[in-house]
Amino acid sequence: MNRLTQRWARGLSGHEATVFSAPSLWPLLALLADPADGPARDELEDAVGVRADSAIRMAHELLDAFGGIRGTRTAVGFWTAPDLPLHPEWTLRLPTGLTGLLDSDPAVSQERLDAWASRNTDGLIDAMPVDVHKDTELVLAGAQLVRTRWLRPFRETLLLPDSGPWQGRELLGLHRFTSLHDRVGVAHTAAGPLTLVQVLGDTGVDVHLLLGPEEMTPSTVLSEGIGALSGDLVPGDRLPLGRPGPGLLVSDERSARPDPQLDLTACPFRVTARHDLLKDAARYGLESASNAGRGHFPGIGPRPLAIGAAAQSALAVFDAEGFESAAVTALAAVAGGAPPAPRHTVRRIEAAFDRPFGFLTVHRTSRLVLTAGWVADPTPYPERDWMRG
């Protein structure tokens, strides 16, 4: 599965914000690989990374596995024209409750499919990314919803980057301290050093923030970041003093407490994207399958079928996860003695994601990447009423 995510990441171009989910695409490709023939079967088999004759079984196993991940919801839907004949040898092996019928009126079908998309994403995606037309014979769709709350909330702060493309802007930042140095690490990739910070969620789903050198492209940051999840990573407690990775500063400081320190600053983000998968059909195993000159799925039924449209809409939000705090602090100054000198020398790591960066949403146990994306547009710091005078 991560292979398809990495393959998708390598196809990104430019530096625009984006988000995508290979796990919501993979089951659809797997369900099509089995009934395909010729070059379409070979390409789909290569895209899903398993033999076509075992792809449906693997899709069942994947959907069952998703059902065991707290905070996620996954659904697959399959709709056919009323007069489309289907081979039961294929339909009987599909996941239970998958199939439905398209209406003779495309507008009615579109409304029903849009409602399905909204229902299975709690309204975050309110429409199907493809349109239903009179000549539409079949629609196969996947939806995935992922939610997690931070084990340790952030607090909002003013972020003023002093370098990089966001320099000189007043941005909304998220900040927190922790004593766990193993939440940060540096991967030494063929393309250069890559900093990874793991933000733990309460459902076993975490977000990994990725920062490479400024010249490293989003495609490289994401693809190398996926590889680093199972590769060699130098953890925070083994990083040398100085600047061992992008966005990092490691120093020794005197402190009244013996605990090490990890000082993390990042930008909240809300990223949306729509991907037309047929613009790079070969990457998703759909090049031959989208050739309407012949049919490619004899295992579905006797009528020749080809892929006419393939798209994905996706959204990702990273913020303080609903944590709210209010405090009033009062200090009374009285005459007193000098404070005691700090007794401990501790290792302090500062990690600042204050320029464009990547992210991966990862199931902690399996290391499965659920969503991936790139943050290019930071959130401006909100102007408060009191600032207006």
PDB file of all heavy atoms in Angstrom, residues 310-342:
ATOM      1  N   ALA A 310     -11.576   9.007 -13.788  1.00  0.00           N
ATOM      2  CA  ALA A 310     -11.016   8.568 -12.502  1.00  0.00           C
ATOM      3  C   ALA A 310     -10.489   9.800 -11.799  1.00  0.00           C
ATOM      4  O   ALA A 310      -9.678  10.536 -12.359  1.00  0.00           O
ATOM      5  CB  ALA A 310      -9.906   7.540 -12.702  1.00  0.00           C
ATOM      6  N   ALA A 311     -10.958  10.066 -10.588  1.00  0.00           N
ATOM      7  CA  ALA A 311     -10.581  11.290  -9.885  1.00  0.00           C
ATOM      8  C   ALA A 311     -10.678  11.073  -8.382  1.00  0.00           C
ATOM      9  O   ALA A 311     -11.320  10.135  -7.914  1.00  0.00           O
ATOM     10  CB  ALA A 311     -11.475  12.455 -10.307  1.00  0.00           C
ATOM     11  N   GLN A 312     -10.034  11.959  -7.633  1.00  0.00           N
ATOM     12  CA  GLN A 312     -10.118  11.926  -6.179  1.00  0.00           C
ATOM     13  C   GLN A 312     -10.208  13.349  -5.642  1.00  0.00           C
ATOM     14  O   GLN A 312      -9.483  14.239  -6.089  1.00  0.00           O
ATOM     15  CB  GLN A 312      -8.898  11.231  -5.557  1.00  0.00           C
ATOM     16  CG  GLN A 312      -8.964  11.134  -4.035  1.00  0.00           C
ATOM     17  CD  GLN A 312      -7.725  10.483  -3.430  1.00  0.00           C
ATOM     18  OE1 GLN A 312      -6.820  11.175  -2.974  1.00  0.00           O
ATOM     19  NE2 GLN A 312      -7.682   9.163  -3.434  1.00  0.00           N
ATOM     20  N   SER A 313     -11.101  13.563  -4.674  1.00  0.00           N
ATOM     21  CA  SER A 313     -11.157  14.794  -3.891  1.00  0.00           C
ATOM     22  C   SER A 313     -10.666  14.460  -2.489  1.00  0.00           C
ATOM     23  O   SER A 313     -11.025  13.419  -1.934  1.00  0.00           O
ATOM     24  CB  SER A 313     -12.589  15.347  -3.826  1.00  0.00           C
ATOM     25  OG  SER A 313     -13.057  15.715  -5.105  1.00  0.00           O
ATOM     26  N   ALA A 314      -9.849  15.322  -1.920  1.00  0.00           N
ATOM     27  CA  ALA A 314      -9.281  15.027  -0.612  1.00  0.00           C
ATOM     28  C   ALA A 314      -9.150  16.304   0.199  1.00  0.00           C
ATOM     29  O   ALA A 314      -9.085  17.417  -0.350  1.00  0.00           O
ATOM     30  CB  ALA A 314      -7.917  14.352  -0.760  1.00  0.00           C
ATOM     31  N   LEU A 315      -9.131  16.146   1.518  1.00  0.00           N
ATOM     32  CA  LEU A 315      -9.018  17.264   2.437  1.00  0.00           C
ATOM     33  C   LEU A 315      -8.225  16.823   3.653  1.00  0.00           C
ATOM     34  O   LEU A 315      -8.334  15.673   4.088  1.00  0.00           O
ATOM     35  CB  LEU A 315     -10.413  17.751   2.851  1.00  0.00           C
ATOM     36  CG  LEU A 315     -10.528  18.801   3.965  1.00  0.00           C
ATOM     37  CD1 LEU A 315     -11.731  19.711   3.710  1.00  0.00           C
ATOM     38  CD2 LEU A 315     -10.698  18.147   5.337  1.00  0.00           C
ATOM     39  N   ALA A 316      -7.407  17.713   4.219  1.00  0.00           N
ATOM     40  CA  ALA A 316      -6.693  17.436   5.456  1.00  0.00           C
ATOM     41  C   ALA A 316      -6.653  18.704   6.301  1.00  0.00           C
ATOM     42  O   ALA A 316      -6.463  19.797   5.768  1.00  0.00           O
ATOM     43  CB  ALA A 316      -5.278  16.939   5.174  1.00  0.00           C
ATOM     44  N   VAL A 317      -6.848  18.563   7.612  1.00  0.00           N
ATOM     45  CA  VAL A 317      -6.835  19.689   8.548  1.00  0.00           C
ATOM     46  C   VAL A 317      -5.924  19.330   9.712  1.00  0.00           C
ATOM     47  O   VAL A 317      -6.027  18.242  10.279  1.00  0.00           O
ATOM     48  CB  VAL A 317      -8.253  19.992   9.073  1.00  0.00           C
ATOM     49  CG1 VAL A 317      -8.210  21.134  10.091  1.00  0.00           C
ATOM     50  CG2 VAL A 317      -9.200  20.315   7.934  1.00  0.00           C
ATOM     51  N   PHE A 318      -5.024  20.230  10.039  1.00  0.00           N
ATOM     52  CA  PHE A 318      -4.100  20.047  11.166  1.00  0.00           C
ATOM     53  C   PHE A 318      -4.208  21.298  12.036  1.00  0.00           C
ATOM     54  O   PHE A 318      -3.921  22.410  11.573  1.00  0.00           O
ATOM     55  CB  PHE A 318      -2.665  19.898  10.631  1.00  0.00           C
ATOM     56  CG  PHE A 318      -1.601  19.642  11.664  1.00  0.00           C
ATOM     57  CD1 PHE A 318      -1.066  18.372  11.841  1.00  0.00           C
ATOM     58  CD2 PHE A 318      -1.106  20.676  12.454  1.00  0.00           C
ATOM     59  CE1 PHE A 318      -0.066  18.136  12.775  1.00  0.00           C
ATOM     60  CE2 PHE A 318      -0.113  20.457  13.391  1.00  0.00           C
ATOM     61  CZ  PHE A 318       0.410  19.177  13.550  1.00  0.00           C
ATOM     62  N   ASP A 319      -4.661  21.108  13.263  1.00  0.00           N
ATOM     63  CA  ASP A 319      -4.786  22.257  14.159  1.00  0.00           C
ATOM     64  C   ASP A 319      -4.576  21.801  15.592  1.00  0.00           C
ATOM     65  O   ASP A 319      -4.010  20.747  15.840  1.00  0.00           O
ATOM     66  CB  ASP A 319      -6.146  22.964  13.963  1.00  0.00           C
ATOM     67  CG  ASP A 319      -7.328  22.032  14.169  1.00  0.00           C
ATOM     68  OD1 ASP A 319      -7.175  20.995  14.856  1.00  0.00           O
ATOM     69  OD2 ASP A 319      -8.426  22.345  13.667  1.00  0.00           O
ATOM     70  N   ALA A 320      -5.047  22.584  16.558  1.00  0.00           N
ATOM     71  CA  ALA A 320      -4.872  22.245  17.969  1.00  0.00           C
ATOM     72  C   ALA A 320      -5.870  21.189  18.436  1.00  0.00           C
ATOM     73  O   ALA A 320      -5.900  20.837  19.600  1.00  0.00           O
ATOM     74  CB  ALA A 320      -4.975  23.493  18.834  1.00  0.00           C
ATOM     75  N   GLU A 321      -6.659  20.657  17.531  1.00  0.00           N
ATOM     76  CA  GLU A 321      -7.607  19.573  17.771  1.00  0.00           C
ATOM     77  C   GLU A 321      -8.579  19.882  18.904  1.00  0.00           C
ATOM     78  O   GLU A 321      -8.834  19.028  19.766  1.00  0.00           O
ATOM     79  CB  GLU A 321      -6.857  18.261  18.052  1.00  0.00           C
ATOM     80  CG  GLU A 321      -6.258  17.611  16.808  1.00  0.00           C
ATOM     81  CD  GLU A 321      -7.303  17.243  15.771  1.00  0.00           C
ATOM     82  OE1 GLU A 321      -8.388  16.751  16.128  1.00  0.00           O
ATOM     83  OE2 GLU A 321      -7.050  17.470  14.578  1.00  0.00           O
ATOM     84  N   GLY A 322      -9.150  21.054  18.851  1.00  0.00           N
ATOM     85  CA  GLY A 322     -10.238  21.378  19.744  1.00  0.00           C
ATOM     86  C   GLY A 322      -9.833  21.712  21.159  1.00  0.00           C
ATOM     87  O   GLY A 322     -10.671  21.994  22.000  1.00  0.00           O
ATOM     88  N   PHE A 323      -8.527  21.678  21.409  1.00  0.00           N
ATOM     89  CA  PHE A 323      -8.070  22.031  22.756  1.00  0.00           C
ATOM     90  C   PHE A 323      -8.297  23.515  23.016  1.00  0.00           C
ATOM     91  O   PHE A 323      -7.938  24.367  22.227  1.00  0.00           O
ATOM     92  CB  PHE A 323      -6.590  21.703  22.922  1.00  0.00           C
ATOM     93  CG  PHE A 323      -6.030  22.166  24.224  1.00  0.00           C
ATOM     94  CD1 PHE A 323      -6.298  21.484  25.395  1.00  0.00           C
ATOM     95  CD2 PHE A 323      -5.248  23.314  24.276  1.00  0.00           C
ATOM     96  CE1 PHE A 323      -5.792  21.911  26.601  1.00  0.00           C
ATOM     97  CE2 PHE A 323      -4.732  23.755  25.486  1.00  0.00           C
ATOM     98  CZ  PHE A 323      -5.008  23.055  26.653  1.00  0.00           C
ATOM     99  N   GLU A 324      -8.974  23.827  24.054  1.00  0.00           N
ATOM    100  CA  GLU A 324      -9.232  25.224  24.409  1.00  0.00           C
ATOM    101  C   GLU A 324      -8.738  25.477  25.822  1.00  0.00           C
ATOM    102  O   GLU A 324      -8.851  24.625  26.698  1.00  0.00           O
ATOM    103  CB  GLU A 324     -10.729  25.535  24.336  1.00  0.00           C
ATOM    104  CG  GLU A 324     -11.275  25.452  22.932  1.00  0.00           C
ATOM    105  CD  GLU A 324     -12.759  25.774  22.898  1.00  0.00           C
ATOM    106  OE1 GLU A 324     -13.401  25.657  23.949  1.00  0.00           O
ATOM    107  OE2 GLU A 324     -13.250  26.116  21.827  1.00  0.00           O
ATOM    108  N   SER A 325      -8.162  26.632  26.057  1.00  0.00           N
ATOM    109  CA  SER A 325      -7.648  26.969  27.381  1.00  0.00           C
ATOM    110  C   SER A 325      -7.795  28.450  27.639  1.00  0.00           C
ATOM    111  O   SER A 325      -7.637  29.262  26.743  1.00  0.00           O
ATOM    112  CB  SER A 325      -6.171  26.583  27.500  1.00  0.00           C
ATOM    113  OG  SER A 325      -5.663  26.928  28.757  1.00  0.00           O
ATOM    114  N   ALA A 326      -8.164  28.809  28.870  1.00  0.00           N
ATOM    115  CA  ALA A 326      -8.216  30.211  29.283  1.00  0.00           C
ATOM    116  C   ALA A 326      -7.570  30.296  30.648  1.00  0.00           C
ATOM    117  O   ALA A 326      -7.721  29.410  31.478  1.00  0.00           O
ATOM    118  CB  ALA A 326      -9.655  30.705  29.336  1.00  0.00           C
ATOM    119  N   ALA A 327      -6.801  31.377  30.943  1.00  0.00           N
ATOM    120  CA  ALA A 327      -6.116  31.509  32.227  1.00  0.00           C
ATOM    121  C   ALA A 327      -5.984  32.963  32.596  1.00  0.00           C
ATOM    122  O   ALA A 327      -5.860  33.828  31.731  1.00  0.00           O
ATOM    123  CB  ALA A 327      -4.735  30.850  32.166  1.00  0.00           C
ATOM    124  N   VAL A 328      -6.050  33.255  33.922  1.00  0.00           N
ATOM    125  CA  VAL A 328      -5.756  34.581  34.460  1.00  0.00           C
ATOM    126  C   VAL A 328      -4.608  34.389  35.442  1.00  0.00           C
ATOM    127  O   VAL A 328      -4.689  33.572  36.359  1.00  0.00           O
ATOM    128  CB  VAL A 328      -6.973  35.194  35.171  1.00  0.00           C
ATOM    129  CG1 VAL A 328      -6.579  36.513  35.818  1.00  0.00           C
ATOM    130  CG2 VAL A 328      -8.124  35.369  34.186  1.00  0.00           C
ATOM    131  N   THR A 329      -3.513  35.148  35.284  1.00  0.00           N
ATOM    132  CA  THR A 329      -2.338  35.013  36.131  1.00  0.00           C
ATOM    133  C   THR A 329      -2.055  36.338  36.811  1.00  0.00           C
ATOM    134  O   THR A 329      -2.023  37.378  36.149  1.00  0.00           O
ATOM    135  CB  THR A 329      -1.111  34.571  35.294  1.00  0.00           C
ATOM    136  OG1 THR A 329      -1.420  33.358  34.611  1.00  0.00           O
ATOM    137  CG2 THR A 329       0.088  34.367  36.194  1.00  0.00           C
ATOM    138  N   ALA A 330      -1.873  36.308  38.152  1.00  0.00           N
ATOM    139  CA  ALA A 330      -1.549  37.531  38.901  1.00  0.00           C
ATOM    140  C   ALA A 330      -0.317  37.273  39.727  1.00  0.00           C
ATOM    141  O   ALA A 330      -0.187  36.220  40.353  1.00  0.00           O
ATOM    142  CB  ALA A 330      -2.715  37.939  39.792  1.00  0.00           C
ATOM    143  N   LEU A 331       0.633  38.217  39.716  1.00  0.00           N
ATOM    144  CA  LEU A 331       1.870  38.088  40.482  1.00  0.00           C
ATOM    145  C   LEU A 331       1.946  39.237  41.477  1.00  0.00           C
ATOM    146  O   LEU A 331       1.717  40.384  41.103  1.00  0.00           O
ATOM    147  CB  LEU A 331       3.092  38.101  39.554  1.00  0.00           C
ATOM    148  CG  LEU A 331       3.142  37.015  38.464  1.00  0.00           C
ATOM    149  CD1 LEU A 331       4.368  37.229  37.596  1.00  0.00           C
ATOM    150  CD2 LEU A 331       3.177  35.643  39.105  1.00  0.00           C
ATOM    151  N   ALA A 332       2.280  38.897  42.701  1.00  0.00           N
ATOM    152  CA  ALA A 332       2.482  39.932  43.722  1.00  0.00           C
ATOM    153  C   ALA A 332       3.961  40.010  44.021  1.00  0.00           C
ATOM    154  O   ALA A 332       4.581  39.019  44.371  1.00  0.00           O
ATOM    155  CB  ALA A 332       1.695  39.613  44.980  1.00  0.00           C
ATOM    156  N   ALA A 333       4.551  41.161  43.814  1.00  0.00           N
ATOM    157  CA  ALA A 333       5.991  41.324  44.016  1.00  0.00           C
ATOM    158  C   ALA A 333       6.280  41.642  45.483  1.00  0.00           C
ATOM    159  O   ALA A 333       5.692  42.552  46.060  1.00  0.00           O
ATOM    160  CB  ALA A 333       6.524  42.428  43.122  1.00  0.00           C
ATOM    161  N   VAL A 334       7.165  40.829  46.063  1.00  0.00           N
ATOM    162  CA  VAL A 334       7.581  41.066  47.442  1.00  0.00           C
ATOM    163  C   VAL A 334       9.096  40.963  47.508  1.00  0.00           C
ATOM    164  O   VAL A 334       9.731  40.390  46.639  1.00  0.00           O
ATOM    165  CB  VAL A 334       6.949  40.029  48.410  1.00  0.00           C
ATOM    166  CG1 VAL A 334       5.437  40.163  48.423  1.00  0.00           C
ATOM    167  CG2 VAL A 334       7.363  38.611  48.029  1.00  0.00           C
ATOM    168  N   ALA A 335       9.669  41.487  48.523  1.00  0.00           N
ATOM    169  CA  ALA A 335      11.127  41.385  48.692  1.00  0.00           C
ATOM    170  C   ALA A 335      11.506  39.941  48.964  1.00  0.00           C
ATOM    171  O   ALA A 335      10.835  39.239  49.723  1.00  0.00           O
ATOM    172  CB  ALA A 335      11.583  42.293  49.845  1.00  0.00           C
ATOM    173  N   GLY A 336      12.573  39.446  48.297  1.00  0.00           N
ATOM    174  CA  GLY A 336      13.004  38.081  48.516  1.00  0.00           C
ATOM    175  C   GLY A 336      14.445  37.900  48.148  1.00  0.00           C
ATOM    176  O   GLY A 336      15.140  38.849  47.770  1.00  0.00           O
ATOM    177  N   GLY A 337      14.931  36.640  48.250  1.00  0.00           N
ATOM    178  CA  GLY A 337      16.322  36.340  47.933  1.00  0.00           C
ATOM    179  C   GLY A 337      16.484  36.005  46.459  1.00  0.00           C
ATOM    180  O   GLY A 337      15.520  35.917  45.703  1.00  0.00           O
ATOM    181  N   ALA A 338      17.749  35.783  46.038  1.00  0.00           N
ATOM    182  CA  ALA A 338      18.048  35.412  44.652  1.00  0.00           C
ATOM    183  C   ALA A 338      17.599  33.987  44.393  1.00  0.00           C
ATOM    184  O   ALA A 338      17.687  33.132  45.281  1.00  0.00           O
ATOM    185  CB  ALA A 338      19.538  35.553  44.393  1.00  0.00           C
ATOM    186  N   PRO A 339      17.108  33.668  43.180  1.00  0.00           N
ATOM    187  CA  PRO A 339      16.705  32.302  42.876  1.00  0.00           C
ATOM    188  C   PRO A 339      17.908  31.382  42.842  1.00  0.00           C
ATOM    189  O   PRO A 339      19.024  31.808  42.551  1.00  0.00           O
ATOM    190  CB  PRO A 339      16.072  32.434  41.474  1.00  0.00           C
ATOM    191  CG  PRO A 339      16.723  33.630  40.884  1.00  0.00           C
ATOM    192  CD  PRO A 339      16.950  34.578  42.034  1.00  0.00           C
ATOM    193  N   PRO A 340      17.709  30.060  43.145  1.00  0.00           N
ATOM    194  CA  PRO A 340      18.821  29.117  43.103  1.00  0.00           C
ATOM    195  C   PRO A 340      19.322  28.927  41.678  1.00  0.00           C
ATOM    196  O   PRO A 340      18.558  29.036  40.714  1.00  0.00           O
ATOM    197  CB  PRO A 340      18.201  27.816  43.642  1.00  0.00           C
ATOM    198  CG  PRO A 340      16.744  27.951  43.369  1.00  0.00           C
ATOM    199  CD  PRO A 340      16.436  29.418  43.523  1.00  0.00           C
ATOM    200  N   ALA A 341      20.613  28.660  41.526  1.00  0.00           N
ATOM    201  CA  ALA A 341      21.198  28.438  40.199  1.00  0.00           C
ATOM    202  C   ALA A 341      20.709  27.113  39.629  1.00  0.00           C
ATOM    203  O   ALA A 341      20.473  26.152  40.363  1.00  0.00           O
ATOM    204  CB  ALA A 341      22.718  28.426  40.311  1.00  0.00           C
ATOM    205  N   PRO A 342      20.518  27.024  38.308  1.00  0.00           N
ATOM    206  CA  PRO A 342      20.121  25.759  37.690  1.00  0.00           C
ATOM    207  C   PRO A 342      21.131  24.661  38.012  1.00  0.00           C
ATOM    208  O   PRO A 342      22.339  24.886  37.980  1.00  0.00           O
ATOM    209  CB  PRO A 342      20.106  26.083  36.192  1.00  0.00           C
ATOM    210  CG  PRO A 342      19.933  27.564  36.128  1.00  0.00           C
ATOM    211  CD  PRO A 342      20.644  28.094  37.318  1.00  0.00           C
TER     212      PRO A 342
END
